[in-house]
Amino acid sequence: QELQVISGTFNAEFGNVMSGVINLVTKDGSQEYHGSVNLYAGDYISSDKDLYLGIDDVDPLSTNNVQASLSGPVPLLGKRLTFFATGRYFNSDGWLNGRRMFNYLTGDTLGVFGGPSGKDAIAGEIVPMNTREQRSAQFKLSYKLANAINVKLGLLGNDDNSANYNGFYRWIPDARRTNYDRGYNANLQWTHTLGSRAFYTLNLSQFYKEFKNYLFEDPLDPRLVDPDTSLRVDSGY
């Protein structure tokens, strides 16, 4: 609903801020029902086929985005209690690809090498290498407890999976690690207007953030191979 950026001269409410403040006010529920849905899809194209492997294979659904929101009063409770809910799903195969030339677990050759030098990867399944899948949602309840008292409960969460491009893995794209980024923010706010010249606000919040990066979740997964000895991790090495 509102985004405010403060770069200096802070009010006392911001405590020990040293550099800057981004103050975000989320939307409240409306007195009448409103909703929206937003969709888009597409792909990346380029004339440089040597730099961007497989870029000429256009898929109109390679990148897709779905957003929806709904707002209004909570049924059977009058208009004192309203809600606002929104969610988004985003998925993209990116624009940087590799070739599946080797089995990343066994080392077996899967593609075809050739070309002028005899060492060029000329055939092999093209695999996206900077992929991203994002899910996020927000839910907010606003309750007018009295004419001078408002109570608000907000929840905001995300669950993102992505993989970063790495040129060292361009022939074994399946060996890339995946980033798992998820978290949530819960906030309860009480605002009491004492008069035309005074009010106070109480906030209670909880924030959780988790980031992981791995190929296999179990560090002792038997599929992991030591690169120097070709011994699997369950062999006692």
Side-chain angles (χ1 to χ4, degrees):
Q1 178 171 314
E2 180 183 348
L3 177 65
Q4 183 183 27
V5 179
I6 307 172
S7 58
T9 315
F10 308 110
N11 296 330
E13 62 182 301
F14 295 115
N16 297 320
V17 173
M18 298 295 292
S19 54
V21 170
I22 297 177
N23 187 30
L24 179 66
V25 180
T26 56
K27 287 186 176 181
D28 289 333
S30 55
Q31 295 295 316
E32 298 179 352
Y33 291 106
H34 296 281
S36 65
V37 176
N38 179 32
L39 310 169
Y40 71 77
D43 199 0
Y44 297 91
I45 61 173
S46 173
S47 59
D48 194 337
K49 300 178 183 179
D50 294 329
L51 181 61
Y52 298 103
L53 176 66
I55 200 72
D56 54 336
D57 184 13
V58 177
D59 178 4
L61 297 179
S62 174
T63 296
N64 53 84
N65 180 86
V66 181
Q67 292 175 251
S69 65
L70 182 63
S71 173
V74 176
L76 306 178
L77 295 178
K79 294 188 177 182
R80 282 185 173 270
L81 181 62
T82 60
F83 73 93
F84 175 81
T86 183
R88 181 192 185 202
Y89 174 80
F90 174 82
N91 182 68
S92 176
D93 289 338
W95 59 93
L96 299 172
N97 301 317
R99 284 192 186 275
R100 189 174 283 135
M101 301 300 292
F102 298 99
N103 184 310
Y104 74 112
L105 294 176
T106 65
D108 294 339
T109 302
L110 303 176
V112 177
F113 292 89
S117 67
K119 299 180 181 180
D120 298 327
I122 60 175
E125 184 177 357
I126 295 178
V127 179
M129 290 189 65
N130 64 323
T131 56
R132 184 171 299 276
E133 184 180 25
Q134 298 176 305
R135 290 170 291 269
S136 60
Q138 178 194 346
F139 182 75
K140 187 175 184 180
L141 286 173
S142 302
Y143 183 56
K144 195 173 185 62
L145 186 63
N147 290 333
I149 299 177
N150 290 307
V151 181
K152 299 178 181 181
L153 173 65
L155 301 171
L156 178 66
N158 74 286
D159 184 1
D160 302 342
N161 298 335
S162 63
N164 300 324
Y165 176 80
N166 187 327
F168 289 107
Y169 292 92
R170 64 188 182 278
W171 288 350
I172 48 170
D174 300 309
R176 293 170 303 132
R177 297 188 300 272
T178 301
N179 303 317
Y180 301 91
D181 186 355
R182 51 185 54 92
Y184 68 85
N185 191 331
N187 179 265
L188 179 64
Q189 182 184 82
W190 169 289
T191 302
H192 185 189
T193 302
L194 302 175
S196 60
R197 301 180 61 181
F199 73 93
Y200 68 90
T201 299
L202 300 177
N203 279 301
L204 179 65
S205 64
Q206 182 178 18
F207 176 76
Y208 173 79
K209 182 74 171 178
E210 175 184 273
F211 179 85
K212 296 181 179 181
N213 174 277
Y214 53 79
L215 178 61
F216 302 120
E217 186 172 12
D218 183 2
L220 298 179
D221 193 295
R223 291 171 293 180
L224 291 170
V225 179
D226 180 80
D228 296 326
T229 64
S230 295
L231 293 175
R232 297 185 182 275
V233 295
D234 60 351
S235 66
Y237 172 74

